[in-house]
Amino acid sequence: MQTNTSPHPAYSSLVALGDSFTEGMSDLLPDGTYRGWADLLAARMAAVQPGFRYANLAVRGKLIRQIVDEQVEVAAAMQADVVTLVGGLNDTLRPKYDMVMVRDLLTEAVERLAPNCKQLVLMRSPGRQGPVLERFRPRMEALFACVDELAERHGALVVDLYGAPALSDPRLWDVDRLHLTAEGHRRVAEAVWQTLGHPPEDPEWHLPPEATLPPHWVARRVEDARFARRHLLPWIGRRLTGRSSGDGLPPKRPELLPYGTP
């Protein structure tokens, strides 16, 4: 009998479910597409496992009900070695937030996915320092308590991004203040990589970047005005009209194909 002498676990496939965080916004590539932590993770896993396959069903703006209805059954049918599920955070930002409903749907998702993969991975999502985080912190922490409970019950791994100082640092968030930069996504990929049992490439991924001088007061006010005009007001408009930034968009990578296949 042959044994695996590699320091890397023998995972041959990955399916990622979720919203804009898993789709990869705002890690923008020159061709106008988004990369993100899940693509970075798949590239690393493919480099150590020949024939590695990858699917990414995430679509920006999706609520947990949409993730359950549109992604969970598809992912379960793929029978992948690793499945990552991140959802529910968009729900916490909605005025009519129903924690009981979110808990029930997240439970349904985990119960359907856990028996159909070798390893389910859940996450405590990162939160950017600032007034938005403080306003919604109780909702987020209630969601994460549910994630922890489900992980313990179903043998899932939990990646604690919420507790990582680096990922609350505003410098690792894009100008829209909702999505991580490319460096933020790199650190998330490293966190999941290590949680899956791979040897660390960056043991200090969770530490903030070196200190820099804060921007001048005038520069901050200009940036605040630009943020409100370009990002906050359109976001509020979508919430008021029931629209989503992901309406009509297909999943990022809907089929479980060998990594490198378009």
Side-chain angles (χ1 to χ4, degrees), residues 219 221-232:
R221 299 293 78 79
V222 170
E223 182 56 37
D224 286 345
R226 182 182 296 116
F227 159 72
R229 184 175 66 256
R230 294 183 179 178
H231 302 288
L232 181 59

Side-chain angles (χ1 to χ4, degrees), residues 2-71:
Q2 291 184 340
T3 58
N4 180 23
T5 59
S6 168
H8 299 277
Y11 293 127
S12 64
S13 52
L14 166 67
V15 177
L17 292 78
D19 50 35
S20 59
F21 173 66
T22 302
E23 185 184 345
M25 297 173 72
S26 291
D27 185 6
L28 190 64
L29 295 173
D31 65 0
T33 62
Y34 292 108
R35 183 175 52 181
W37 66 265
D39 284 12
L40 293 169
L41 177 66
R44 288 194 191 184
M45 297 175 77
V48 299
Q49 184 65 41
F52 185 82
R53 297 177 299 152
Y54 170 51
N56 189 326
L57 306 180
V59 178
R60 68 196 72 170
K62 293 300 182 181
L63 302 172
I64 186 62
R65 181 177 296 281
Q66 293 170 309
I67 292 173
V68 170
D69 291 345
E70 300 168 14
Q71 301 178 27

Side-chain angles (χ1 to χ4, degrees), residues 108-174:
E108 179 183 346
V110 170
E111 289 178 346
R112 291 165 71 183
L113 291 170
N116 289 290
C117 65
K118 288 186 179 178
Q119 184 59 68
L120 179 62
V121 179
L122 307 177
M123 299 188 199
R124 294 162 58 92
S125 304
R128 181 186 185 277
Q129 291 175 358
V132 174
L133 173 63
E134 293 311 314
R135 178 180 178 185
F136 294 102
R137 187 186 295 275
R139 293 181 177 184
M140 293 171 62
E141 293 185 348
L143 174 66
F144 300 154
C146 177
V147 166
D148 290 343
E149 177 187 330
L150 288 169
E152 183 175 0
R153 191 188 313 163
H154 294 278
L157 299 173
V158 177
V159 185
D160 185 13
L161 306 173
Y162 180 71
L167 296 178
S168 65
D169 191 315
R171 292 173 295 172
L172 267 65
W173 291 75
D174 192 44

